[in-house]
Amino acid sequence: MIFSKTTEYAIRILTYMATDYEKLYSAKSIVDKLNIPNKYMRRIMTNLSKSNFIMSIQGRDGGYKFIKSPDNIYLAEIIDSVDGIDKYMGCVLGFNECSPKSTCAMHKSWTETKEKLYNTLSKTSLSNLIKNTIDKF
Amino acid sequence: MIFSKTTEYAIRILTYMATDYEKLYSAKSIVDKLNIPNKYMRRIMTNLSKSNFIMSIQGRDGGYKFIKSPDNIYLAEIIDSVDGIDKYMGCVLGFNECSPKSTCAMHKSWTETKEKLYNTLSKTSLSNLIKNTIDKF
DNA sequence: ATAAAATACTACAACAAAGTAGCATATAAA
DNA sequence: TTTATATGCTACTTTGTTGTAGTATTTTAT
Ligand code: SF4
Ligand code: SF4
């Protein structure tokens, strides 16, 4: 997998929640629907609640709901929030940084590839994702 | 990092070796030059020797050398040899496979992105990489 | 107030990836 | 044939990620 499990799970959870984006989802209802380990998922939810995407409501009848429209939540933001997008935007050879005078032949095409990837991620919103996914959950 | 450390190291080693592609390189000479943990690098070399890129010569005055021109060794092959390219060609959401009738809106752009990535990797040879990298080693 | 139903927190367990150590084996030069 | 110098192999350690367990806290309904 290109991204970490945690990131994959986060995207799946948020995508599922976006199918009825004003609803309040309990952790239990999400676990029952998606195939994500219970307690691990709780932790992800708690972390996501500290983001600007969703909020948690504690206590009886609590759960999670969006505080920002899924129209305006993009994959790149989610990945950045969970893992930090930089983790996936590094050099192929693992070098931290190359000075302009020592760029290798890979650099240009590699940079373009990464930009294309980043563009895809930063232009795809949760709302985009759920179109045509009725069969998925 | 997008790729595993092992893959990054493999690419760096082979790229370095390609700068003088007919030379026999001892493990020690590579370790001294590149910043890769000694024994870990040895293991990578042994594994690479079982690939079709390089061979090892044991015993005194031994080392490693190419058995295939770096002109014809592409990054995609190296990645495939070390980690298996499939590891990096999966779905963003971590799903194994989606039936044609349940593809999500992400699928098309994601597939395109992956293809672009794969194209870059499968068209960039080691020889391509070393051009303009004299400062690097 | 109390109980029920939810999330939050903390510590631990299991697993995989990365890195280390030591000994075995191979080979060429002396 | 011995020695020096190289790679090969196997088991271990460390570190990071993924997953589990139990308890604490929060809040609503009764
Ligand atoms: S120049 Fe080459 S080695 Fe340096 S960051 Fe760019 S791709 Fe990596
Ligand atoms: S349709 Fe969507 S969820 Fe399915 S494999 Fe393609 S990108 Fe992944």
Side-chain angles (χ1 to χ4, degrees):
Chain A
M1 337 106 208
I2 294 212
F3 303 110
S4 70
K5 280 254 159 191
T6 314
T7 289
E8 282 181 5
Y9 289 161
I11 296 176
R12 279 163 68 177
I13 292 163
L14 293 175
T15 305
Y16 171 60
M17 288 177 65
T19 55
D20 190 352
Y21 73 93
E22 287 185 318
K23 191 173 145 190
L24 184 86
Y25 292 84
S26 70
K28 187 169 184 305
S29 74
I30 297 175
V31 159
D32 286 348
K33 206 73 185 176
L34 308 178
N35 212 19
I36 301 176
N38 188 347
K39 287 299 185 86
Y40 195 36
M41 179 271 190
R42 305 300 185 110
R43 188 156 60 203
I44 294 170
M45 293 313 284
T46 304
N47 289 337
L48 282 177
S49 298
K50 290 167 184 161
S51 73
N52 298 316
F53 313 129
I54 59 173
M55 62 172 292
S56 74
I57 294 167
Q58 287 191 40
R60 185 173 167 154
D61 298 336
Y64 305 92
K65 67 174 186 181
F66 282 107
I67 49 176
K68 184 178 174 182
S69 166
D71 291 349
N72 301 317
I73 299 175
Y74 297 91
L75 288 182
E77 295 177 280
I78 300 170
I79 294 165
D80 195 33
S81 164
V82 176
D83 274 334
I85 193 80
D86 287 352
K87 182 171 176 181
Y88 303 108
M89 291 294 141
C91 160
V92 224
L93 306 186
F95 286 110
N96 286 334
E97 204 180 335
C98 289
S99 71
K101 78 184 255 216
S102 70
T103 56
C104 75
M106 185 69 181
H107 194 82
K108 188 164 177 291
S109 59
W110 183 242
T111 303
E112 282 170 9
T113 303
K114 280 191 302 184
E115 272 166 10
K116 167 90 168 122
L117 173 64
Y118 187 78
N119 277 345
T120 304
L121 295 174
S122 64
K123 281 178 184 159
T124 308
S125 70
L126 288 176
S127 300
N128 292 146
L129 269 183
I130 59 172
K131 282 171 196 151
N132 207 18
T133 42
I134 306 126
D135 296 358
K136 194 155 277 83
F137 302 113
Chain B
M1 335 104 211
I2 294 213
F3 302 111
S4 69
K5 281 254 158 186
T6 314
T7 289
E8 281 180 6
Y9 289 161
I11 296 175
R12 278 162 68 177
I13 292 163
L14 293 175
T15 305
Y16 170 60
M17 287 176 67
T19 56
D20 191 352
Y21 74 93
E22 287 184 320
K23 191 173 145 190
L24 183 86
Y25 291 84
S26 69
K28 188 169 183 307
S29 74
I30 297 174
V31 159
D32 287 349
K33 205 72 184 176
L34 308 177
N35 212 19
I36 301 175
N38 188 345
K39 286 299 186 92
Y40 196 35
M41 179 271 191
R42 305 299 184 111
R43 188 156 60 202
I44 294 170
M45 293 313 285
T46 303
N47 288 337
L48 283 177
S49 299
K50 290 167 183 161
S51 72
N52 298 316
F53 313 129
I54 59 173
M55 63 172 292
S56 73
I57 294 168
Q58 287 190 39
R60 182 170 167 158
D61 298 335
Y64 306 91
K65 68 173 185 183
F66 282 107
I67 51 176
K68 184 177 174 182
S69 165
D71 291 349
N72 301 317
I73 299 176
Y74 297 90
L75 289 183
E77 295 177 278
I78 300 170
I79 294 165
D80 195 33
S81 164
V82 176
D83 273 334
I85 194 81
D86 287 351
K87 180 171 177 182
Y88 304 108
M89 291 293 143
C91 160
V92 223
L93 306 185
F95 286 109
N96 286 334
E97 204 180 335
C98 289
S99 72
K101 76 184 257 213
S102 70
T103 57
C104 75
M106 184 70 181
H107 194 83
K108 187 163 176 292
S109 59
W110 183 242
T111 303
E112 283 170 9
T113 303
K114 280 190 301 186
E115 272 166 9
K116 167 90 168 121
L117 174 63
Y118 186 78
N119 276 347
T120 304
L121 296 174
S122 63
K123 282 177 183 160
T124 308
S125 70
L126 288 175
S127 300
N128 292 145
L129 269 183
I130 59 172
K131 283 172 196 149
N132 207 17
T133 41
I134 306 126
D135 296 359
K136 194 157 278 82
F137 301 113

